[in-house]
Amino acid sequence: MSRDALHVVDDLALDRGTGRTDGVRIVGHVVAEMFGPDGVLKARVESHNLITAVGDQLYASRGAGLTSSAVPTGMKLGTGSTAVAKTGAGAALVTYLSGSNKTFDATFPSATGGVATYKRTYAAGEATTASAITEAVIVNDTIATDATSAAAATISRVLLTGIVSTGATYTLTITWTHTILGA
C-alpha cells in the first residue's frame, strides 16, 4: 500500500474510533437598543456579527492557555457600510464616530457556559451623531485613542440597520455574545 493510502486508512480508523469529527465554530450575535430620554425603547436591532481573523486567533490562543493575543479593550462605533469580512477593509471600522471609543461596562466581558458576552452602554451625550450608526466593532487596541481601529486590532465587527442618529438625550446599549460551539 502506498504511503498516502496508509494515511487515509489511518484517518478513517481515527474517525471510526470516535464516531465523529469535531467542527468547532464561533457564532456571534449583537443586540443594539436605543432608549429615549424617557427611558422608552426607541429602536432595537438584532444581527449576527463576524468574528474576524484576529478574533479567531484570540479565542484559539486563550483557549490554549496562551497570552500571546491582546485581550479586547472596548468598543467603537461608526457610520460606514463596507461589507463585513474576516480580513482586510471589511474587518476594520470604516467610518469612525468620534468619541465612541469606550471601555466595556463594569463586569464585562464575561464568560459563562461557552458564551463570551461584551456590553457597552453609551450614556446620553456620548457618541452623538446626526448620521445613523451603522457599524460597531470590538477592539483590542488602546481604547483611549479617539480614532478608527485597523483590521489588525478588530476582534469582531457588525453592520447595524435601524439605529438612527443618537441625540444628546439618547442612550445606546450594545450587547455582543460569542458562542463557542463544538461538534
Side-chain angles (χ1 to χ4, degrees):
M1 211 179 258
S2 74
R3 182 179 211 126
D4 289 339
L6 286 174
H7 182 68
V8 170
V9 169
D10 287 344
D11 286 348
L12 291 172
L14 288 174
D15 284 344
R16 271 190 244 118
T18 62
R20 64 183 177 149
T21 58
D22 195 4
V24 175
R25 63 188 180 117
I26 306 171
V27 176
H29 185 253
V30 173
V31 175
E33 297 175 312
M34 184 184 303
F35 297 90
D38 54 3
V40 173
L41 182 65
K42 302 294 183 187
R44 185 173 199 275
V45 173
E46 288 193 50
S47 182
H48 289 286
N49 67 90
L50 183 73
I51 291 87
T52 65
V54 172
D56 289 346
Q57 178 60 36
L58 167 78
Y59 286 116
S61 66
R62 294 296 167 154
L66 306 174
T67 57
S68 56
S69 291
V71 297
T73 53
M75 288 186 210
K76 294 182 179 184
L77 305 174
T79 58
S81 60
T82 298
V84 176
K86 292 292 271 186
T87 60
L93 188 63
V94 177
T95 309
Y96 174 68
L97 175 58
S98 182
S100 69
N101 53 312
K102 302 294 179 184
T103 59
F104 301 110
D105 288 354
T107 73
F108 290 93
S110 65
T112 305
V115 179
T117 304
Y118 306 87
K119 182 178 179 183
R120 173 64 200 179
T121 302
Y122 289 90
E126 286 184 327
T128 59
T129 177
S131 300
I133 294 173
T134 55
E135 59 180 331
V137 292
I138 294 175
V139 297
N140 67 6
D141 59 1
T142 304
I143 201 64
T145 303
D146 190 12
T148 196
S149 292
T154 304
I155 303 301
S156 190
R157 182 166 178 260
V158 66
L159 290 180
L160 303 169
T161 54
I163 298 296
V164 295
S165 60
T166 53
T169 59
Y170 284 75
T171 301
L172 176 64
T173 300
I174 302 178
T175 306
W176 308 63
T177 56
H178 292 167
T179 304
I180 315 301
L181 300 170

